[in-house]
Amino acid sequence: MIQVIAYPHEGEGMVLPNPVSAQLDMDLYIPADQFEGKFPVEQPMEEFSQIKVLDRLGLRVLFYGIVDEQRETVTPEGRFLEIEARSMAALLTDNEAEPQSYTTSSLELIFERHAQPYGLTGCEGPQTPHVQLLEITSGMSEWDAVETFCTAAIQAIPRVTPRAVLYCGTWPMGKEPAAVLDNMEEGTVKYTELEKITGRIHRISSITLRPSGGEGQTKTLYDEEARQKGIMRRRLEVYTDSILQAEIRANQQLAKGKQEFMTYRAVCVGEPPVPAGEEVVIRDKKFGTISGLTLRSLCYQLDGSREQTQILACEMS
């Protein structure tokens, strides 16, 4: 069973009793992970500002973030503490960035100005790519600023890891050993369900980019493989920035459609085998061996003594 440590704004952390229920959600396309937990307590609790979720051995950090809401309830079954929290990425989505123009920018500079002030402990990714002109406009969040840079410079989705590190690079991250799903071999992740999903509905055959007001370049990007499969699903984007930025967004949409075209869903026994973004290998009698997958999303659920994690894995290259 997972371990949860709650921290007040100042002072030492407190190890909470084993939860009677809990849920942890991660998705590479949603900036902040979410955690909800219900804990039996015997006395009133102080106000907590952050929590950390560890695996049953206390060795791996599964979640670290800010407390959004804390509730204490008394029922005939006893007194309970309920906590809702989001990962540290929430601080970037919740705070508005100062409008400014960068004539040149790097991952290190963007991290120092838009992520580090909110408690993120480091950044990982290629340090050489630069963006010559980056506009942070009014209404953009700190996350928008980071994401705009990462998509322009590296064509990558940024991610805040459970250790509060900003990662901007290729998938899988490779920070932890791959999760091997295998019901036969010892020391591997066991699963009760395995499903291969072919989602033709997610695939986009083409995206046409047109400038707002009619002044600028019009361009159409294609997914040739989707067209060869007989998939016709066209999109139109009217862009107000540059054709380069519009192309980056369009290529991301096409890539997301490819990733969601072929996914594997598994229901694993116990806690999350690895965080979202790490590698998954499936070894199954009927499906065979499938490698090179990235854990795209997961949902961990604990209800009494029942503990399981549903994962979605796909090729992210």
Side-chain angles (χ1 to χ4, degrees):
M1 182 177 291
I2 59 172
Q3 303 179 40
V4 181
I5 305 173
Y7 299 88
H9 179 60
E10 295 180 347
E12 298 293 324
M14 172 185 178
V15 179
L16 297 179
N18 290 338
V20 296
S21 65
Q23 180 164 323
L24 171 61
D25 293 286
M26 294 182 178
D27 192 311
L28 291 184
Y29 288 99
I30 299 175
D33 304 332
Q34 294 183 308
F35 176 83
E36 296 181 11
K38 183 178 182 180
F39 308 87
V41 295
E42 297 181 353
Q43 57 189 16
M45 293 287 101
E46 60 184 316
E47 180 181 342
F48 297 117
S49 63
Q50 294 181 327
I51 67 162
K52 181 185 292 184
V53 181
L54 306 173
D55 67 358
R56 60 187 176 84
L57 299 177
L59 301 176
R60 292 193 300 124
V61 180
L62 303 176
F63 175 92
Y64 176 61
I66 60 172
V67 174
D68 282 336
E69 192 168 279
Q70 174 178 334
R71 296 186 299 274
E72 291 185 51
T73 58
V74 177
T75 71
E77 288 75 33
R79 177 191 289 268
F80 297 94
L81 168 69
E82 296 178 66
I83 290 179
E84 295 181 9
R86 289 176 296 156
S87 63
M88 297 296 284
L91 291 171
L92 305 190
T93 61
D94 287 357
N95 284 278
E96 190 169 334
E98 181 179 347
Q100 56 193 295
S101 297
Y102 290 98
T103 54
T104 184
S105 56
S106 65
L107 178 58
E108 182 178 13
L109 177 63
I110 295 300
F111 170 76
E112 289 177 354
R113 293 192 179 181
H114 300 281
Q116 192 174 33
Y118 300 95
L120 271 66
T121 58
C123 67
E124 296 179 359
Q127 298 295 325
T128 51
H130 290 69
V131 175
Q132 293 303 316
L133 181 60
L134 183 67
E135 292 284 346
I136 309 300
T137 58
S138 178
M140 291 177 66
S141 67
E142 300 284 27
W143 178 262
D144 292 333
V146 171
E147 186 177 43
T148 299
F149 171 83
C150 290
T151 54
I154 312 171
Q155 290 78 58
I157 307 168
R159 176 78 181 157
V160 175
T161 72
R163 293 186 178 276
V165 173
L166 176 64
Y167 176 82
C168 191
T170 57
W171 307 104
M173 290 188 288
K175 302 303 176 186
E176 296 190 17
V180 179
L181 276 61
D182 188 329
N183 278 339
M184 302 299 293
E185 186 176 330
E186 290 294 326
T188 56
V189 180
K190 307 308 175 192
Y191 55 93
T192 58
E193 294 180 35
L194 180 62
E195 183 178 25
K196 178 182 177 180
I197 306 168
T198 305
R200 290 175 63 89
I201 191 172
H202 301 298
R203 207 72 181 259
I204 299 173
S205 56
S206 67
I207 301 177
T208 298
L209 308 173
R210 291 180 183 169
S212 176
E215 294 185 4
Q217 184 180 354
T218 297
K219 188 173 185 178
T220 301
L221 305 180
Y222 297 95
D223 180 345
E224 292 296 344
E225 188 180 19
R227 298 171 76 188
Q228 292 170 8
K229 293 178 178 292
I231 297 173
M232 182 178 291
R233 187 165 293 106
R234 298 177 293 182
R235 296 288 184 267
L236 171 67
E237 180 186 339
V238 178
Y239 65 89
T240 57
D241 47 7
S242 68
I243 184 66
L244 176 61
Q245 295 298 316
E247 278 191 62
I248 290 171
R249 290 192 298 271
N251 281 320
Q252 282 189 321
Q253 290 183 59
L254 293 175
K256 187 171 184 287
K258 291 179 182 179
Q259 294 157 11
E260 295 180 337
F261 177 72
M262 186 70 67
T263 58
Y264 294 87
R265 184 189 70 88
V267 178
C268 304
V269 178
E271 63 201 26
V274 290
E278 294 291 357
E279 184 179 1
V280 172
V281 176
I282 297 173
R283 296 204 294 250
D284 182 80
K285 283 187 175 181
K286 291 185 168 50
F287 287 112
T289 298
I290 306 135
S291 57
L293 301 176
T294 297
L295 200 161
R296 212 207 80 185
S297 67
L298 68 81
C299 177
Y300 163 81
Q301 292 178 313
L302 168 68
D303 187 4
S305 60
R306 184 169 176 264
E307 189 179 27
Q308 67 177 32
T309 303
Q310 179 173 277
I311 68 170
L312 281 178
C314 63
E315 291 185 5
M316 294 286 290
S317 57

